Amino acid sequence: MLTRRQTLAVGAGGLAVTMLPAVGWSATADDIIAAFTGGATPGSDGIFLDVPEIAENGNTVPVGVNAPGAEEIIIVATDNPQPGVATFRFGEAAGSHSVSTRIRLGGTQDVVAVARMADGSFVQAAAEVKVTIGGCGG
Amino acid sequence: MSDVRPRIRAPRDAAAGSSVNIRTLISHPMESGTRRDSDGTLVPRQIINRFACTFNGRSVIDMDIEPGVSANPYIEFDAVVDESGTFEFTWYDDDGTVYSATHEIAVS
């Protein structure tokens, strides 16, 4: 765990490093996905990720994910300073296993959605979004 | 924060057993904690970290939110309605504030 002081000291080293989160959370996208799946290899059927091919403004990129039968879905932005974006859990009154939101992307990168299905299996979809202006305030 | 305002777009009536589309937006800067102000000082993180929606007390969706979600978080999803009732929407701020909204729907 980096202290704020250490984070600032490291941050002086380069612009890329200044993107480190102040709380010192440095889990990678792979770490986050592995923690979600428990190391299982996700399949690729039955999950649909809807993202634009090109996003002019990385501050607000529309993302939709639909995984019929999913109990829980995570969205990960692989190259963001904090790759974890959101976790959705569907309840008994859910009308679909589909959700849309808007996310920040620091630059061109893959967006990944992973769903945990009712039978405990996992499925994953990924798509690259080309970002013209990054959304990390850097 | 004073200017935080939740907005809900959802139908006022629906057929029993049908699925209705719900769109929510809450005005909030979603300060990521990685941004620097003009003096180069890190602006402390303050985001909405969780959102939940229930219908007559039963969960529709529960969402954990990280700083990667855009300012003014927009969330769209579907709920199945089998009886008339009330949607309750709750947003949880890093500073401990809880914002809430409700929406009534008549089911026939």
Side-chain angles (χ1 to χ4, degrees):
Chain A
M1 202 74 159
L2 285 173
T3 65
R4 175 175 296 262
R5 187 171 296 275
Q6 286 167 329
T7 305
L8 288 171
V10 172
L15 182 64
V17 188
T18 64
M19 298 290 274
L20 271 175
V23 291
W25 175 38
S26 57
T28 66
D30 287 345
D31 291 342
I32 292 166
I33 293 168
F36 181 66
T37 62
T41 305
S44 57
D45 289 338
I47 182 166
F48 307 95
L49 178 63
D50 185 17
V51 290
E53 228 170 276
I54 297 172
E56 284 194 5
N57 181 356
N59 277 307
T60 173
V61 181
V63 172
V65 60
N66 180 19
E71 289 187 336
E72 189 170 6
I73 298 177
I74 61 168
I75 294 180
V76 178
T78 50
D79 279 350
N80 268 8
Q82 298 175 69
V85 173
T87 305
F88 307 96
R89 284 176 296 276
F90 297 100
E92 53 181 323
S96 70
H97 299 92
S98 169
V99 64
S100 300
T101 187
R102 296 174 187 149
I103 69 170
R104 291 172 167 144
L105 295 176
T108 296
Q109 60 185 287
D110 285 340
V111 174
V112 179
V114 187
R116 180 171 55 80
M117 310 308 278
D119 65 1
S121 66
F122 293 88
V123 291
Q124 172 176 327
E128 190 190 48
V129 180
K130 292 187 168 63
V131 176
T132 314
I133 303 167
C136 273
Chain B
M1 249 178 255
S2 56
D3 56 347
V4 174
R5 192 162 63 92
R7 272 173 280 179
I8 309 296
R9 180 70 60 89
R12 292 275 168 210
D13 46 63
S18 66
S19 175
V20 297
N21 184 250
I22 298 170
R23 288 181 284 168
T24 73
L25 186 98
I26 187 164
S27 52
H28 192 286
M30 295 291 282
E31 198 56 71
S32 68
T34 60
R35 193 176 68 87
R36 288 171 188 279
D37 65 17
S38 51
D39 301 330
T41 314
L42 273 178
V43 181
R45 173 181 139 154
Q46 189 180 355
I47 66 168
I48 301 277
N49 59 53
R50 183 178 163 220
F51 165 77
C53 171
T54 62
F55 179 63
N56 289 348
R58 294 153 60 225
S59 174
V60 177
I61 195 167
D62 193 328
M63 174 180 179
D64 295 331
I65 303 177
E66 306 288 347
V69 169
S70 300
N72 305 324
Y74 166 83
I75 308 157
E76 176 180 353
F77 53 92
D78 301 310
V80 66
V81 288
D82 44 13
E83 57 183 353
S84 297
T86 308
F87 289 103
E88 292 189 20
F89 306 89
T90 317
W91 293 261
Y92 299 84
D93 194 302
D94 275 350
D95 72 2
T97 313
V98 175
Y99 310 101
S100 56
T102 59
H103 180 90
E104 307 282 336
I105 188 165
V107 169
S108 54

